[in-house]
Structure formats: C-alpha cells, structure tokens
C-alpha cells in the first residue's frame, strides 16, 4: 500500500485532517506532522475520543495515524531553533521537531523509499491581519518561512525518501495572483512564492527523483487558521 505524510494537522477542523482522511479512505497508511505548540492538545483530543465522529471512515472503522510526528517547519535542523524555543514547555520533550529531524525519523521508522505522498497543509502569517502597507520585515519573512520555504525544505529532505512516481502537494490561495483585501501579513507574497516554487520544484524533483509537485488553490474553509482572518 501507499504511505502518505500530511504535514499541518492539529485538529479535525482543517484541510490537513480532511486530506488525511481521504488518503485513508483510498487505502493509504497516513502519518501526520503536528506543530509542537498544538501537539499535546491534538493528542488529548484523540485520546479522549473527541474526534471519533470525524474520524469515522466509510467502513465504520476510525481513522488512525501510523505516526504523529512533531514538526516546526520554520526549522531545517534542530540547531536552527533558538535555545529559548528548544527549552520551552511545548518543545523540550518532543525530540527533533525540525524538517531534517522529521526526515530522519521517517527514514528510521520506515527506511528509504518508504513514502509515496507528501502533503503540505501548513501556513503561518503572524501579521496576517495587517495590510501589506503595514507589514514589518520580520512578519513578512516569517510568513514566507513558514508558508513557502517550508515546502522547499520538505522537498529537499523528504524527496530522497520517496518512491519514484510519488507526489508532493500543497495548498495555496488565489490572493497570490489577485489583490484580495484581508489576506495580509505577506501571506499573499508567500503564496506567490509557493506557486512559483511548485513550478521549479516539479521540474527539478521530477528530473532528480521522478516525483510530481503540485499545489491546489483552495476555496474558503473555516479552519482554525482561516477563522483568524474571518473566513
Ligand atoms: P489549519 O489551521 O487547519 O492548518 C494549518 C496548520 O499549520 C495548523 O495545524 C498549524 O498548527 C500548522 N502550522 C502553523 N505554523 C507551523 C509551523 N511553523 N510548523 C508546522 N506547522 C505549522 O488551517 P487550513 O486547513 O486552513 O490550512 C491548511 C492550508 O490550506 C494552508 O496552506 C492554508 O494557507 C491553505 N488554505 C486555506 C484556506 C482556508 O480557507 N482555510 C484558503 C486557501 C488556502 C483561504 O485562505 N477565500 C478566502 C481564503 C481562502 C480561500 C478562499
């Protein structure tokens, strides 16, 4: 069977969960990667059965995750994370939460050529409510780091673990190509980068690894992230 990794699942209310569920319905085993600040809450919800209704698959069984990895996609290696993050409550006990750490864990758990699908369903724009006219350099770069470079880094580190013919996919938003008020904080810029990077990565990773790289421009969905901007 196929194995999928969905990065950016921390509850049952976002695209990542729905995508993970669809992969499971199609017969794949599904691993997810969760932002450390949200990891404990997610594990608690799972354990206490709070998501059993949404986990229900067509055959009556419950969606289960083969692994739940910690992931903070703004770090490529553990050394990149500042000490105050590494020693903070939500991060200190989860092990290597970087993208490099994720790749190492997957390689250790399943070996090389063990992944068929990598689905990137994460974004973060700390100043998303600010129009571009008011966005700080730090806010703009943070949005690009979490929402665009994270894909580049994931392909760099996970493509070598993927089987030829495998597929990488992310989610974007039309504000990359049209001016849409309310999608601020440099998130429109980050999505434009994500879309351009998708074209270049599909060329490069297509040739080097035989992979496909795509992005889907999503419609509105009242996830946790989207509720922050009033969707
Ligand atoms: P979500 O909150 O369920 O998922 C985002 C996840 O990212 C969360 O689990 C976070 O914990 C995680 N995360 C944040 N920072 C980090 C980090 N540094 N490292 C690791 N994980 C992190 O929200 P979602 O399902 O809306 O988002 C999933 C993807 O869909 C993101 O790429 C979105 O940009 C994208 N998307 C969502 C929507 C939407 O409506 N929900 C739209 C387009 C694209 C959209 O914004 N009209 C208006 C707006 C929109 C569409 C139409």
């Amino acid at each position: 069977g196929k194995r999928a990794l969905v990065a950016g699942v921390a509850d049952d209310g976002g695209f990542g969960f729905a995508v993970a569920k669809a992969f499971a319905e199609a017969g794949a085993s599904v691993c997810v990667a969760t932002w450390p600040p949200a990891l404990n809450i997610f594990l608690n919800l799972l354990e206490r059965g709070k998501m059993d209704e949404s986990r229900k698959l067509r055959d009556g069984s419950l969606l289960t995750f083969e692994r739940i990895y910690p992931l903070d996609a703004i770090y490529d290696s553990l050394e990149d994370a500042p000490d105050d993050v590494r020693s903070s409550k939500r991060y200190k006990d989860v092990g290597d939460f970087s993208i490099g750490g994720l790749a190492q864990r997957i390689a250790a758990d399943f070996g090389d050529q063990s992944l068929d699908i990598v689905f990137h369903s994460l974004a973060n724009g700390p100043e998303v409510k600010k129009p571009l006219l008011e966005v700080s350099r730090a806010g703009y770069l943070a949005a690009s780091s979490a929402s665009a470079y994270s894909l580049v880094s994931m392909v760099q580190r996970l493509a070598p673990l993927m089987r030829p013919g495998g597929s990488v996919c992310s989610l974007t938003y039309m504000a990359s190509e049209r001016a849409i008020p309310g999608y601020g904080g440099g998130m429109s810029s980050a999505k434009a980068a994500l879309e351009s990077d998708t074209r270049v990565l599909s060329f490069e990773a297509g040739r080097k690894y035989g992979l496909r790289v795509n992005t889907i421009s999503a419609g509105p969905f009242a996830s946790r992230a989207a509720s922050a901007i009033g969707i």
Side-chain angles (χ1 to χ4, degrees):
K2 305 225 190 253
R3 178 175 292 111
L5 169 73
V6 182
V9 181
D11 55 39
D12 58 358
F15 279 122
F17 185 91
V19 166
K21 191 173 173 182
F23 287 155
E25 291 279 19
S29 40
V30 182
C31 301
V32 295
T34 304
W35 199 34
L39 182 58
N40 258 336
I41 305 160
F42 182 49
L43 293 175
N44 275 334
L45 289 173
L46 273 173
E47 228 165 76
R48 301 207 324 266
K50 299 287 184 197
M51 299 190 299
D52 286 2
E53 203 48 49
S54 38
R55 285 172 65 202
K56 206 164 270 167
L57 301 175
R58 275 195 302 265
D59 69 2
S61 69
L62 291 188
L63 169 66
T64 54
F65 302 120
E66 196 176 20
R67 293 284 189 289
I68 299 174
Y69 295 110
L71 172 68
D72 194 323
I74 66 171
Y75 305 118
D76 304 312
S77 72
L78 200 51
E79 293 72 56
D80 293 339
D83 284 339
D84 62 321
V85 170
R86 284 167 71 169
S87 61
S88 67
K89 186 171 167 236
R90 301 281 182 207
Y91 285 77
K92 64 177 167 32
D93 297 322
V94 301
D96 189 339
F97 47 79
S98 69
I99 294 173
L102 173 67
Q104 280 167 16
R105 286 163 106 139
I106 292 171
D109 288 348
F110 306 111
D112 290 348
Q113 310 269 294
S114 57
L115 266 184
D116 299 285
I117 297 163
V118 170
F119 199 92
H120 177 286
S121 181
L122 61 93
N124 200 1
E127 297 181 17
V128 66
K129 289 180 185 149
K130 284 192 190 168
L132 202 52
L133 267 178
E134 291 166 24
V135 175
S136 72
R137 184 178 299 268
Y140 181 103
L141 293 176
S144 278
S145 174
S147 314
Y149 188 77
S150 57
L151 177 77
V152 175
S153 177
M154 282 175 57
V155 174
Q156 288 176 4
R157 288 164 180 80
L158 295 172
L161 304 179
M162 294 180 71
R163 296 178 182 116
S167 170
V168 177
C169 192
S170 67
L171 293 173
T172 186
Y173 178 42
M174 193 177 60
S176 59
E177 41 184 326
R178 296 187 202 174
I180 299 181
Y183 201 74
M187 279 305 299
S188 55
S189 332
K191 291 303 191 188
L194 182 78
E195 291 173 21
S196 176
D197 296 344
T198 298
R199 288 186 285 270
V200 177
L201 288 170
S202 70
F203 175 80
E204 295 185 1
R207 297 200 156 202
K208 187 160 183 190
Y209 301 105
L211 299 176
R212 292 164 290 142
V213 185
N214 289 285
T215 186
I216 297 169
S217 194
F221 185 38
S223 64
R224 215 182 147 85
S227 302
I229 51 171
I231 289 164

